[in-house]
Amino acid sequence: MASLSVEEENYVRMSLLLTGISPRAVRTFFDSEFAPACLDSTIKKGYNKLFDLKKKNRINQSQWNLLYPRFPDVPDSRTFDLTLMMLLLRNLIPITPPLCGFDCLPSAMETTPAADLARIKHYRNYLAHLDDGKLDTGFFNTAWEDITSAIDRLGGQQMKQECNHLKTKPLDQTNQEIMMDIKHSNNEIRELRESFESLKLSHTEMIKSHETLQDDHRKVTNELEIMKTSQKDTVPWNIRGKQFGVTSIHYI
C-alpha cells in the first residue's frame, strides 16, 4: 500500500483525535454535570424542552430513542454521541455561551467549558467539510494544540497524554486503510455533488424551457382568439358600414 503524505497523516491523526478522544473528554464533563445515577430523572424533567427541540429537528428519532428508551431500559451517556451530549449541555443546564456563541471558534483567551465545547464542535465541522483528506502542517499544529488543551480541561491530564502519544506514534496499516477509505468516500461524495449540480442545472434549463413554452402557448392562444373573432364577423366590410350609418368614402 502506498505511504501517506504528511498532509494525509495530519488528517488521519486529527480524525482519530476528534472521533476517538474528544468525545470521551466531553462525556467526562457531561457525567460531571449529569450524574449517571440521576440522568434518567433529569431527562424526564426536561421532556417538554427536548420535545420542542425534536419538533424543530434538532433531535432526530435515533437520538430520541436513546433519551427515552423502552422500559425497563434507561438512558446511558455511554450511548450518546458528541452532538447529543452537547445539545443536552446547552439546553438542560445553566451554561454561559462563549462570547461569539457556540457556532464560532472561541478565542484562545476563552477557556470555559462552554468555549471548549464550541472549540471541539468547530474543528469537527471543519474536518467534516474537507474534500481532499489533507491538512496543512501549520494549521494542524495550531488546531492540535487548541483541541488538546480543551480535552485536557474537559477530560483530564490522562487524556492529554493520550493526545500527545497520538500526535507522534507511527500510523499502522489499519490507519492507512482508514485514510484510503476516507479518500475513496470523498471522491464518491465529490462525484455525487457534481452530479447534483448537473441535475440542478438541467432542472433550471427545463424550467426556462417550460416558461418559454408557456409564453409561446399564450401567444398562440391569443392569435387563435383573434382568428375566431374574425371568423364570427361574417358581414362584408362594405355593408358593415351601412349597418351602422357610416357612409364609405371613395377616393378616385
Side-chain angles (χ1 to χ4, degrees):
M1 179 178 293
S3 61
L4 302 179
S5 67
V6 173
E7 291 79 9
E8 289 172 334
E9 281 200 9
N10 291 341
Y11 182 90
V12 172
R13 294 182 196 278
M14 187 65 72
S15 296
L16 294 172
L17 178 70
L18 289 170
T19 61
I21 302 178
S22 68
R24 289 194 286 117
V26 172
R27 186 169 292 107
T28 298
F29 175 71
F30 181 91
D31 288 342
S32 71
E33 295 292 327
F34 296 92
C38 304
L39 181 60
D40 184 30
S41 60
T42 303
I43 290 177
K44 285 178 179 176
K45 288 179 182 177
Y47 179 87
N48 290 336
K49 181 176 288 188
L50 294 175
F51 186 70
D52 186 53
L53 291 171
K54 184 175 184 290
K55 289 193 295 184
K56 295 176 181 177
N57 296 319
R58 297 279 306 283
I59 298 176
N60 61 40
Q61 188 59 50
S62 296
Q63 292 171 327
W64 187 258
N65 293 340
L66 295 175
L67 294 172
Y68 300 99
R70 291 183 177 180
F71 182 82
D73 293 337
V74 294
D76 186 340
S77 69
R78 289 173 295 182
T79 67
F80 296 173
D81 61 15
L82 191 144
T83 302
L84 183 55
M85 288 188 289
M86 286 189 174
L87 181 139
L88 296 174
L89 287 166
R90 289 175 59 176
N91 290 278
L92 294 187
I93 67 171
I95 187 169
T96 303
L99 293 177
C100 295
F102 281 99
D103 297 324
C104 297
L105 179 64
S107 71
M109 300 297 293
E110 291 189 84
T111 57
T112 63
D116 286 334
L117 293 174
R119 203 168 265 115
I120 291 172
K121 175 188 174 185
H122 170 84
Y123 287 111
R124 278 173 60 91
N125 289 343
Y126 178 86
L127 202 70
H129 288 88
L130 281 182
D131 288 332
D132 58 358
K134 297 178 181 179
L135 279 179
D136 172 78
T137 298
F139 174 83
F140 170 79
N141 288 330
T142 300
W144 189 276
E145 179 60 30
D146 205 12
I147 297 166
T148 56
S149 295
I151 289 173
D152 184 13
R153 290 186 290 267
L154 292 172
Q157 184 62 31
Q158 184 175 346
M159 289 190 190
K160 180 63 161 56
Q161 291 173 358
E162 288 184 50
C163 297
N164 295 339
H165 177 63
L166 175 60
K167 188 177 183 182
T168 58
K169 76 170 186 176
L171 296 176
D172 58 25
Q173 186 173 351
T174 301
N175 298 136
Q176 295 197 28
E177 288 173 353
I178 290 172
M179 183 63 216
M180 293 302 108
D181 288 341
I182 290 172
K183 292 181 69 175
H184 181 68
S185 297
N186 285 336
N187 289 336
E188 290 182 340
I189 291 170
R190 190 178 300 108
E191 290 173 1
L192 285 171
R193 284 178 179 170
E194 290 173 356
S195 298
F196 179 67
E197 291 300 324
S198 177
L199 286 171
K200 282 173 60 179
L201 182 60
S202 299
H203 180 63
T204 302
E205 292 174 348
M206 287 177 63
I207 291 175
K208 289 181 179 178
S209 298
H210 182 253
E211 291 174 348
T212 301
L213 285 172
Q214 284 183 319
D215 289 339
D216 291 343
H217 180 263
R218 279 192 291 268
K219 291 177 183 178
V220 171
T221 301
N222 290 337
E223 291 175 358
L224 285 173
E225 290 298 324
I226 294 172
M227 290 176 63
K228 287 179 181 179
T229 303
S230 301
Q231 290 174 356
K232 288 179 181 179
D233 189 4
T234 57
V235 180
W237 68 270
N238 58 339
I239 297 177
R240 187 187 309 118
K242 294 179 180 179
Q243 286 181 323
F244 295 98
V246 178
T247 302
S248 299
I249 300 176
H250 299 279
Y251 292 91
I252 301 175

